[in-house]
Amino acid sequence: MTTVTVLKVEKPIAQRAIPRVPTSLQPRPKPILRRVMQFVRRTHLYVGLLLFPWAILYGVTGFLFNHPTILADAPTTSYVRSDLAGTALEKLPPLPEQADALIAALNERHQPMTPFRLGDGTVRYATRDSFIATVKADQRSFFVTFDPRTASGVIRETTPRLATVDPAPFATGKGDAPRQRGMGMMGPMKHDHTGVKVSDSLTDRLKSAIPVLLKRKGFPAGDVTVTTAPDIKFPVEADAKIWTATFNPLTTTVSGVPGSESGDLSFRAFLLRMHLTRGYPGEMNIKWLWAVGVDAIALTLCFWGVSGLFMWWQIKATRKAGLVALAVSAVLATALGFGMHALLAA
């Protein structure tokens, strides 16, 4: 009997039947809303990581502005009402009494037919919170604030960190570049008439050109007073020695320090200067790039707020509690906004 062997020939892999997966188990494409929200979450995350240094910087420096004694780079201390015991500031006359005294002085000066009198309404301090005084004691200087509402304040030493050196041989006036009028400073600039008069100076050009510019832009022209200007620094060789000279265009004074000037900036002052640095300069430099970062963190804060709302609304379990928190936040922010407007507009 002959045995017949049957050989089973398998089909090539390409011809094999692929088992079908039930339609219900096949992965479905994500709805467009889920894709958008995934993009929002990822952007929220990575933008936060990218701008983490800016967020920390503005958080820390904002705190330092509110608390001048923290990380102080000079002797700084606070004082309270009890520290003023036995001084003229221990007990201040009430504001209505001060107003009455002012009205009496006005009546004495003007002698009106009908005397002035205190009207209805509140008597209050306005425009700023504190009195500010500077103190010179030998070779040291101090900055003192006094809040009349709380009879408290801060004392901070402002003695220049650089050691006193002989004035430069080319120095004019007092040899110091005075502070210029700016944020928080009022009153006219004090000019030192012993300075250097430069013909056709930039300040003169500004005074000449600004009225023309105003007219071209549709504004009325008038008297021009330049209140702030950048110093001009330049090296000077005098007595076989290199100096760094500083010229103040407003007061026309020139001062100088030996050698190449090195920045003497404390860590606290550096952080605060970073916080206040803003605006795009006319040329693309490191400050221009910093301004890009400032814009980026500003836009990111807005994006974080809006994207956070979307991310919160996606989690159904947190919707009710989130609505309560959002309502409380809106009420508090609105109340603070109106309150600050009333305070700043007073």
Side-chain angles (χ1 to χ4, degrees), residues 19 23 50 74 76 95 99 121 126 136 149 185 195 211 258 265 274 279 286 302 317-318:
T23 306
L50 183 64
T76 305
L95 275 178
K136 294 289 186 180
R149 300 173 183 82
M185 299 186 67
L265 198 62
M274 290 263 281
I286 192 66
C302 298
T318 64

Side-chain angles (χ1 to χ4, degrees), residues 279-292:
Y280 286 86
E283 59 182 357
M284 185 177 293
N285 52 23
I286 192 66
K287 187 178 179 181
W288 192 93
L289 294 175
W290 177 258
V292 172

Side-chain angles (χ1 to χ4, degrees), residues 30-334:
K30 294 181 180 180
I32 186 65
L33 181 60
R34 288 184 61 186
R35 293 183 180 182
V36 170
M37 286 308 305
Q38 185 178 28
F39 174 78
V40 169
R41 287 194 299 268
R42 292 293 185 270
T43 307
H44 185 103
L45 170 66
Y46 289 114
V47 169
L49 294 175
L50 183 64
L51 296 178
F52 174 77
W54 271 270
I56 295 299
L57 171 70
Y58 282 103
V60 171
T61 52
F63 186 79
L64 291 179
F65 274 114
N66 257 0
H67 302 273
T69 59
I70 295 179
L71 289 183
D73 51 3
T76 305
T77 185
S78 301
Y79 65 90
V80 295
R81 188 184 300 272
S82 60
D83 296 315
L84 299 172
T87 71
L89 295 176
E90 180 180 10
K91 188 176 181 181
L92 299 178
L95 275 178
E97 289 185 15
Q98 297 183 53
D100 286 334
L102 288 170
I103 289 177
L106 290 172
N107 281 324
E108 183 178 353
R109 176 173 180 173
H110 295 284
Q111 298 293 322
M113 294 295 294
T114 302
F116 304 131
R117 65 180 185 85
L118 187 63
D120 296 332
T122 59
V123 182
R124 65 193 185 282
Y125 291 106
T127 66
R128 60 185 67 244
D129 295 326
S130 303
F131 291 89
I132 298 176
T134 57
V135 180
K136 294 289 186 180
D138 297 328
Q139 300 298 319
R140 302 174 69 183
S141 56
F142 300 88
F143 177 88
V144 183
T145 66
F146 172 71
D147 187 338
R149 300 173 183 82
T150 60
S152 62
V154 174
I155 302 171
R156 176 182 174 83
E157 183 167 2
T158 56
T159 306
R161 296 167 63 90
L162 291 176
T164 303
V165 296
D166 294 333
F170 50 81
T172 65
K174 297 180 180 179
D176 297 321
R179 293 177 64 192
Q180 301 179 29
R181 195 172 78 181
M183 186 174 62
M185 299 186 67
M186 303 296 291
M189 282 290 302
K190 294 181 179 180
H191 291 263
D192 188 339
H193 298 289
T194 61
V196 177
K197 180 61 178 176
V198 180
S199 60
D200 196 25
S201 67
L202 186 54
T203 53
D204 292 336
R205 286 174 174 249
L206 281 169
K207 292 178 181 179
S208 173
I210 286 178
V212 178
L213 175 64
L214 289 173
K215 288 182 178 179
R216 290 177 178 175
K217 292 298 182 179
F219 296 100
D223 294 334
V224 179
T225 302
V226 182
T227 58
T228 304
D231 291 336
I232 299 176
K233 290 184 179 290
F234 52 97
V236 174
E237 183 177 349
D239 300 331
K241 185 178 180 180
I242 295 296
W243 299 73
T244 298
T246 301
F247 171 69
N248 185 290
L250 297 185
T251 61
T252 67
T253 57
V254 179
S255 61
V257 294
S260 298
E261 186 180 36
S262 58
D264 185 35
L265 198 62
S266 67
F267 181 64
R268 189 180 201 278
F270 166 68
L271 290 178
L272 299 185
R273 290 277 293 275
M274 290 263 281
H275 185 108
L276 293 175
T277 300
R278 62 195 182 278
Y280 286 86
E283 59 182 357
M284 185 177 293
N285 52 23
I286 192 66
K287 187 178 179 181
W288 192 93
L289 294 175
W290 177 258
V292 172
V294 172
D295 276 348
I297 191 64
L299 295 174
T300 298
L301 287 174
C302 298
F303 172 73
W304 277 341
V306 174
S307 61
L309 287 177
F310 284 107
M311 293 164 64
W312 152 69
W313 189 254
Q314 265 201 315
I315 307 174
K316 294 183 179 180
T318 64
R319 287 182 181 177
K320 291 183 179 179
L323 281 174
V324 173
L326 193 60
V328 170
S329 173
V331 170
L332 287 177
T334 302

